[in-house]
Amino acid sequence: MTSTSAVSSALTPYGWDDAWADTFTPYAAEGLLPGRVVRVDRGQCDVVTAAGVLRADTAFVTPHDPMRVVCTGDWVAVEPGGNPRYVRAYLPRRTAFVRSTSSKRSEGQILAANVDHAVVAVSLAVELDLGRVERFLALAWESGAQPVVVLTKADLVPDPATLAHLVQDVETSAPGVPVLTVSALHGDGLDTLVAVVGSGTTVLLGQSGAGKSTLANALVGDDVMDVRAARDVDGKGRHTTTTRNLLALPSGGVLIDTPGLRGVGLFDAETGVGAVFAEIEELAARCRFHDCAHETEPGCAVRSAVESGELPVRRLESYRKLMRENQWIVAKTDARVRAELRRDWKRKGAEGRAAMEAKRGRRK
């Protein structure tokens, strides 16, 4: 049996601590090995253990629920031998990065587990899509991780004033979130990022072509990820990363690199949306009505802020869009929420019809 000191020595660089060891105690009594999943591929996974990296089958613990499958970043109990070797259980997750699936069913898909920092990579090679940044940040906040926005390919914006303006735009869309500029090609800004991700587990998120693989290589200090050129027309690239890989960083901490995400659907992320739009939540607390929809209600502090220029109209529209999307996802599985939405739709329909009738009456 592998000694406690050997386990600690081998797994501490991957995030193992006394709390994980205590949680693992009943599995240790069964002779199972603790390990962290560094890669999942077609029902099997690579697990780093004190005995080395083991290949194990996840069928024993993988149900049909995509939220409960073994994923990169999980701490698991794996059999010491066997052909095939099986993962017997995964330990309760501290955090989980989840998005909605692309299926018509209301399901969440877990992308990474036990994450402390969520780095959202945004390329400066193309026009900023602030709405997409806000969407990524909502999922990051909801996961329980601390978000960080990294503007990559900063060498493509040589004018300091233009770069400062772009950073300010992102900071306005990311209250409470550090915004860093990095050129992985030249090494600019990497020291600051290394300091941020030097402890705990960091998941690297972003679209294809955002420079995630180049960033991962720069952080690891080796060409561990394949890199391909992005298209000039839109800055997008092919998925050079096809699986989620957990990599130990030489400076400390671990990194989970992910494939470029085309779809970042929300999944029960109301708290995350509220964190991204903290200034709107603060304004809403001053509205006359506690259930103000910030549309036509009198005494709406949010609309007043838009009219005065304090709140950009784009921020309010983005907030409304993400809140509607999140409500729709939640309503798929929550009958009470569905009923509330129906009542809201009927009320708005009645108000619309009444307004039309009033207009017709004035014309007469």
Side-chain angles (χ1 to χ4, degrees):
M1 183 179 292
T2 307
S3 68
T4 301
S5 61
V7 168
S8 178
S9 176
L11 297 183
T12 295
Y14 290 89
W16 185 255
D17 57 29
D18 291 342
W20 286 121
D22 289 343
T23 305
F24 193 79
T25 299
Y27 300 108
E30 298 177 23
L32 299 174
L33 299 177
R36 194 163 196 193
V37 177
V38 297
R39 185 173 181 269
V40 177
D41 182 26
R42 298 181 181 179
Q44 293 193 317
C45 63
D46 293 333
V47 184
V48 61
T49 72
V53 178
L54 307 177
R55 187 72 167 168
D57 197 305
T58 65
F60 190 85
V61 294
T62 299
H64 294 297
D65 182 355
M67 288 282 286
R68 297 173 59 197
V69 299
V70 172
C71 77
T72 303
D74 271 327
W75 286 99
V76 297
V78 65
E79 295 174 342
N83 187 19
R85 187 195 312 268
Y86 286 98
V87 170
R88 286 291 172 176
Y90 63 81
L91 304 188
R93 294 159 177 158
R94 294 178 183 175
T95 61
F97 191 90
V98 180
R99 68 170 176 177
S100 65
T101 62
S102 57
S103 67
K104 294 182 179 179
R105 300 188 300 274
S106 178
E107 293 178 336
Q109 177 190 19
I110 183 164
L111 299 180
N114 303 310
V115 172
D116 301 293
H117 310 284
V119 170
V120 179
V122 181
S123 173
L124 290 176
V126 293
E127 184 177 353
L128 286 177
D129 184 344
L130 296 176
R132 181 167 286 272
V133 173
E134 289 161 348
R135 179 179 292 273
F136 269 112
L137 289 174
L139 294 175
W141 279 121
E142 191 68 32
S143 75
Q146 168 64 51
V148 180
V149 176
V150 173
L151 303 179
T152 65
K153 308 181 184 181
D155 52 286
L156 298 180
V157 187
D159 179 46
T162 301
L163 184 59
H165 178 71
L166 293 171
V167 170
Q168 184 178 23
D169 282 348
V170 176
E171 287 176 338
T172 301
S173 303
V177 176
V179 179
L180 311 178
T181 58
V182 169
S183 170
L185 185 64
H186 301 297
D188 298 336
L190 280 176
D191 289 346
T192 304
L193 180 58
V194 167
V196 171
V197 305
S199 62
T201 298
T202 298
V203 63
L204 190 53
L205 307 161
Q207 290 182 284
S208 294
K212 297 190 308 303
S213 294
T214 302
L215 200 57
N217 288 339
L219 291 170
V220 176
D222 196 4
D223 291 339
V224 293
M225 308 304 297
D226 184 24
V227 177
R228 297 176 189 167
R231 297 191 300 247
D232 290 336
V233 64
D234 57 9
K236 295 181 180 179
R238 288 181 290 173
H239 292 300
T240 54
T241 304
T242 56
T243 59
R244 286 170 279 279
N245 303 281
L246 187 147
L247 309 164
L249 299 177
S251 57
V254 293
L255 178 72
I256 299 176
D257 191 19
T258 64
L261 299 176
R262 291 192 182 94
V264 250
L266 301 184
F267 183 78
D268 198 2
E270 183 175 354
T271 301
V273 174
V276 176
F277 298 93
E279 80 279 32
I280 295 180
E281 297 274 300
E282 291 174 6
L283 287 167
R286 303 204 297 266
C287 290
R288 182 182 301 178
F289 302 106
H290 76 278
D291 59 347
C292 183
H294 320 307
E295 292 176 351
T296 59
E297 299 88 344
C300 175
V302 174
R303 275 202 342 277
S304 294
V306 170
E307 291 165 3
S308 69
E310 177 187 352
L311 177 68
V313 66
R314 189 206 66 79
R315 286 281 284 171
L316 179 56
E317 290 173 350
S318 183
Y319 173 75
R320 286 171 172 163
K321 178 180 179 180
L322 293 184
M323 288 297 284
R324 282 196 302 267
E325 178 183 327
N326 192 68
Q327 283 183 323
W328 182 75
I329 288 292
V330 174
K332 280 185 170 184
T333 55
D334 192 320
R336 179 184 58 80
V337 174
R338 278 201 303 275
E340 288 177 355
L341 286 177
R342 284 198 196 96
R343 285 195 294 271
D344 190 45
W345 292 335
K346 287 181 180 178
R347 176 182 62 78
K348 289 180 179 178
E351 289 175 352
R353 287 191 294 274
M356 288 299 295
E357 291 296 331
K359 285 182 180 179
R360 292 191 187 112
R362 286 195 294 271
R363 287 171 186 165
K364 294 177 182 178

